[in-house]
Amino acid sequence: MNERVDRDFFSRDAEEQSAFLTHTWCNACMEVDLGMTDPIEYEQDGTVFIEGKCQKCGQTVTTELAEDDGE
């Protein structure tokens, strides 16, 4: 397993940040689009993730990003 590499979520433009923080799935609440707070972005094994807390219940929610930035 590759090491987790922190990334800067806040370097994304405001519209993109808003979309990632709004369009979420909480496994605890079993509901979509409850929202996320305290986002942390990181890359692990070539996949980018945004992790935060569900706005409804406070449990950890993780979004896997499918990025194609040409790198």
Side-chain angles (χ1 to χ4, degrees), residues 34-56:
L34 296 174
M36 176 193 303
T37 62
D38 305 320
I40 298 170
E41 183 173 342
Y42 63 93
E43 183 174 347
Q44 191 166 20
D45 296 328
T47 303
V48 177
F49 298 92
I50 297 174
E51 183 177 285
K53 295 179 182 177
C54 174
Q55 285 189 11
K56 183 176 179 181

Side-chain angles (χ1 to χ4, degrees), residues 1-69:
M1 177 182 275
N2 289 339
E3 183 177 325
R4 176 175 156 158
V5 178
D6 290 333
R7 295 171 51 125
D8 183 7
F9 175 77
F10 298 102
S11 69
R12 296 178 176 277
D13 67 51
E15 187 176 310
E16 193 174 28
Q17 287 181 39
S18 177
F20 288 134
L21 294 177
T22 303
H23 303 296
T24 61
W25 171 260
C26 179
N27 286 329
C29 295
M30 299 299 287
E31 291 184 53
V32 69
D33 297 343
L34 296 174
M36 176 193 303
T37 62
D38 305 320
I40 298 170
E41 183 173 342
Y42 63 93
E43 183 174 347
Q44 191 166 20
D45 296 328
T47 303
V48 177
F49 298 92
I50 297 174
E51 183 177 285
K53 295 179 182 177
C54 174
Q55 285 189 11
K56 183 176 179 181
C57 73
Q59 292 295 311
T60 299
V61 293
T62 305
T63 300
E64 180 179 330
L65 306 185
E67 287 194 344
D68 183 15
D69 59 6

